Amino acid sequence: MSSIVSMRWLLARLYESDVVIVDCRFQLGKPDAGQEAYNESHIPGAVYLDLERDLSAPIGEHGGRHPLPDVAQLAARLGQAGIDRTMRVVAYDDQGGAMASRLWWLLRYLGHNEVYVLDEGFTAWKQAGCPVTGDQKVIFPKVYLAEVRHNMVVDVDDVRERLGAAGVVLVDSREAPRYRGEVEPIDPVAGHIPGAINRFWGDGRRADGSWKAAAEQAERFADLSQEDEIIVYCGSGVTATPNVLALEAAGFRNVKLYAGSWSDWISYGENAVATGNEEERKDV
């Protein structure tokens, strides 16, 4: 089954006891906006998990702007939200699926298979006339037992070791001007990891905001070999996760997340930085 589910699919399962809906709305620079939006209205039965408070660790010298959360703390928080490994989890946001994909990836990382992202997000759900509420359900805590899949993630040392290696492809998920180093609105250094190619995560959606089908995702990555190891990164490890989801939909199986991403890479002064377009240089 696809990791993307339709509004119709969720509507039909809205009140099933093994379905947990998670609101992941979040706005960078407005840390309370997601919680406030949830409090105002959300999909009935949804619980709220915050990108920075729940789905990331505190910022340190290294690790990037959204470090991976401590596994034990995340498992405890999931349990508090009424989630265990038997549940089918559906995540949504209003940010094109980026925040929901972060939860999707984290749950997969913890060994959870039945986790999905709602197509199009909350605004589309509301505009379609689907039910919303401001009421918060009573949560019965669970015990979440994580089985971490360490092979899904790489760190800065792994990336350094793989630079220039045959059979390894680095995919930068940021918008092209940031990748090329022309602008950098968030991090203190502009550019990209040497050798990385650019595949903007937002191109995984159609013009109407819906997710592209598997065949369309495969077209985005048609120049890559499914035999290669694909390492995906972005600015802080969040918007890379929609590309991880898209690559898996396209049939790629050896896909890893550089969790610290660009903001971690540049926290080490000795790491090389590239600018411009790598693919244009390869074509010369």
Side-chain angles (χ1 to χ4, degrees):
M1 178 176 168
S2 169
S3 291
I4 303 298
V5 295
S6 67
M7 291 185 284
R8 182 186 297 272
W9 185 96
L10 180 58
L11 195 59
R13 294 161 177 82
L14 201 56
Y15 300 105
E16 293 183 2
S17 60
D18 68 332
V19 172
V20 176
I21 304 166
V22 183
D23 188 317
C24 299
R25 284 177 286 175
F26 182 86
Q27 293 183 44
L28 286 174
K30 298 181 179 180
D32 297 323
Q35 181 74 63
E36 291 169 357
Y38 168 81
N39 292 343
E40 181 179 334
S41 66
H42 51 263
I43 296 177
V47 297
Y48 182 74
L49 291 178
D50 183 87
L51 171 65
E52 294 186 342
R53 290 191 293 268
D54 302 315
L55 306 182
S56 304
I59 296 175
E61 181 183 1
H62 302 297
R65 286 183 280 107
H66 293 108
L68 291 186
D70 175 81
V71 167
Q73 292 180 359
L74 176 59
R77 181 68 186 93
L78 293 169
Q80 291 169 0
I83 301 171
D84 64 21
R85 293 267 300 283
T86 70
M87 298 293 185
R88 289 179 292 169
V89 179
V90 181
Y92 72 88
D93 59 34
D94 242 352
Q95 286 71 44
M99 311 305 164
S101 294
R102 168 75 164 204
L103 179 61
W104 170 85
W105 187 90
L106 284 170
L107 285 173
R108 293 282 300 276
Y109 178 61
L110 297 188
H112 205 124
N113 292 320
E114 296 253 18
V115 55
Y116 309 98
V117 172
L118 178 65
D119 198 7
E120 299 183 67
F122 180 75
T123 294
W125 171 276
K126 188 174 181 178
Q127 290 176 345
C130 297
V132 299
T133 184
D135 297 337
Q136 298 186 25
K137 75 172 185 178
V138 176
I139 298 174
F140 297 95
K142 304 277 188 179
V143 175
Y144 195 96
L145 300 176
E147 293 183 9
V148 178
R149 294 166 170 165
H150 296 285
N151 64 341
M152 287 178 56
V153 67
V154 295
D155 62 17
V156 65
D157 291 328
D158 297 319
V159 176
R160 285 171 178 153
E161 290 173 6
R162 288 162 168 78
L163 284 185
V168 178
V169 179
L170 276 170
V171 175
D172 187 312
S173 304
R174 297 171 299 164
E175 292 183 86
R178 290 184 69 194
Y179 160 78
R180 293 192 297 263
E182 297 166 0
V183 298
E184 183 44 69
I186 302 174
D187 294 307
V189 178
H192 60 264
I193 300 174
I197 63 172
N198 184 220
R199 295 291 185 277
F200 175 47
W201 71 273
D203 291 340
R205 293 173 294 134
R206 304 184 185 97
D208 64 0
S210 62
W211 284 74
K212 292 180 177 178
E216 296 170 284
Q217 302 291 9
E219 289 180 11
R220 295 177 59 214
F221 304 106
D223 56 331
L224 307 185
S225 169
Q226 296 196 3
E227 302 301 315
D228 288 341
E229 177 184 56
I230 312 296
I231 297 175
V232 188
Y233 76 93
C234 58
S236 68
V238 177
T239 58
T241 56
N243 262 349
V244 174
L245 193 159
L247 281 157
E248 291 198 1
F252 290 81
R253 292 294 172 260
N254 190 9
V255 181
K256 298 179 180 178
L257 175 70
Y258 173 21
S261 287
W262 180 247
S263 52
D264 175 59
W265 182 260
I266 59 173
S267 71
Y268 297 88
E270 68 272 24
N271 283 346
V273 170
T275 57
N277 193 322
E278 299 278 353
E279 290 168 289
E280 287 181 357
R281 286 195 283 270
K282 292 174 184 174
D283 291 339
V284 172

